[in-house]
Amino acid sequence: MKNTLYRKLLYVISMVLLSLVAVLLFRPEEGIFRMHVIANSDSAADQATKLAVRDAILDYERGMGDVGSAEEVKARLMDDGRGLCTAIDNVLHERGMDYSAELHIGTYDFPDREYGGKLYPAGRYQALRVILGEGKGKNWWCVMFPPLCILEDENGKIEDEAKFDSLIMKLIREAKKNERAE
């Protein structure tokens, strides 16, 4: 009788511990909303289209005005998903692509990434995921909230003429000006 009771107790304790571990390991990072654009393929045209779609999304986001939280970004995107889809479809049409885009808002795995000197560790983050065509090409991601979508070239160098003008980009440009002046 005691043996059965101990087994049941051990089972319950094990399940509670496993549940705690699952919650700690698989909970999304709070206060952060990311963007992930996946190209149709690795062809030059599809990669250029991915970047044009990225730019359209960032322009669209700028049009949303100031947002105060990751949840607000998510809510605004969900409220006007049709507007964002139209902006992306316009880019695909202008570039002569014969595929469409799928937009998803959910929680996804992301690798370690550093933005503006801050490390965003690998983990599960709320994100807008845009899959172009078959979604078999290289991808691009950034942090939409707080706004850290800094545009980089293929070698990881920050582009001088970024379309998304975040506080971080302003600081980087100011530092470059100061270096040149010295």
Side-chain angles (χ1 to χ4, degrees):
M1 174 100 168
K2 285 185 179 182
N3 197 15
T4 304
L5 181 62
Y6 287 129
R7 281 186 182 176
K8 286 181 182 180
L9 185 59
L10 184 59
Y11 176 77
V12 169
I13 291 171
S14 298
M15 298 302 355
V16 168
L17 287 175
L18 283 173
S19 296
L20 281 172
V21 168
V23 166
L24 291 174
L25 290 178
F26 299 110
R27 69 180 173 89
E29 296 291 334
E30 295 182 24
I32 298 169
F33 191 84
R34 297 181 78 161
M35 176 175 61
H36 189 203
V37 182
I38 305 170
N40 179 57
S41 75
D42 285 336
S43 74
D46 284 340
Q47 288 296 308
T49 298
K50 170 191 73 181
L51 297 178
V53 166
R54 168 204 67 191
D55 293 347
I57 294 168
L58 294 177
D59 286 343
Y60 182 87
E61 179 192 26
R62 256 197 324 265
M64 291 189 316
D66 291 333
V67 292
S69 70
E71 285 303 315
E72 189 176 349
V73 170
K74 179 180 172 181
R76 286 190 185 186
L77 289 171
M78 291 181 76
D79 285 345
D80 190 28
R82 185 173 304 276
L84 182 57
C85 287
T86 299
I88 293 169
D89 286 343
N90 288 341
V91 169
L92 296 175
H93 178 73
E94 289 168 6
R95 299 184 68 81
M97 297 301 159
D98 63 351
Y99 50 80
S100 62
E102 291 180 25
L103 279 66
H104 304 275
I105 293 179
T107 303
Y108 304 100
D109 292 317
F110 284 86
D112 283 341
R113 183 73 180 186
E114 187 175 323
Y115 297 102
K118 180 178 179 187
L119 176 67
Y120 287 81
R124 295 182 57 75
Y125 292 87
Q126 289 281 312
L128 167 67
R129 178 172 279 179
V130 180
I131 303 170
L132 302 175
E134 294 183 26
K136 294 184 177 180
K138 291 178 184 160
N139 60 67
W140 188 88
W141 60 82
C142 73
V143 176
M144 289 180 81
F145 189 87
L148 294 174
C149 288
I150 298 171
L151 306 183
E152 298 175 352
D153 67 16
E154 296 167 356
N155 300 317
K157 294 182 182 174
I158 295 173
E159 296 175 5
D160 288 334
E161 298 299 322
K163 291 191 180 222
F164 185 77
D165 201 15
S166 68
L167 174 62
I168 300 299
M169 282 307 299
K170 289 176 186 175
L171 293 173
I172 291 170
R173 279 196 295 278
E174 189 64 34
K176 283 183 179 181
K177 282 182 192 175
N178 290 340
E179 283 179 13
R180 289 183 203 139
E182 292 175 358

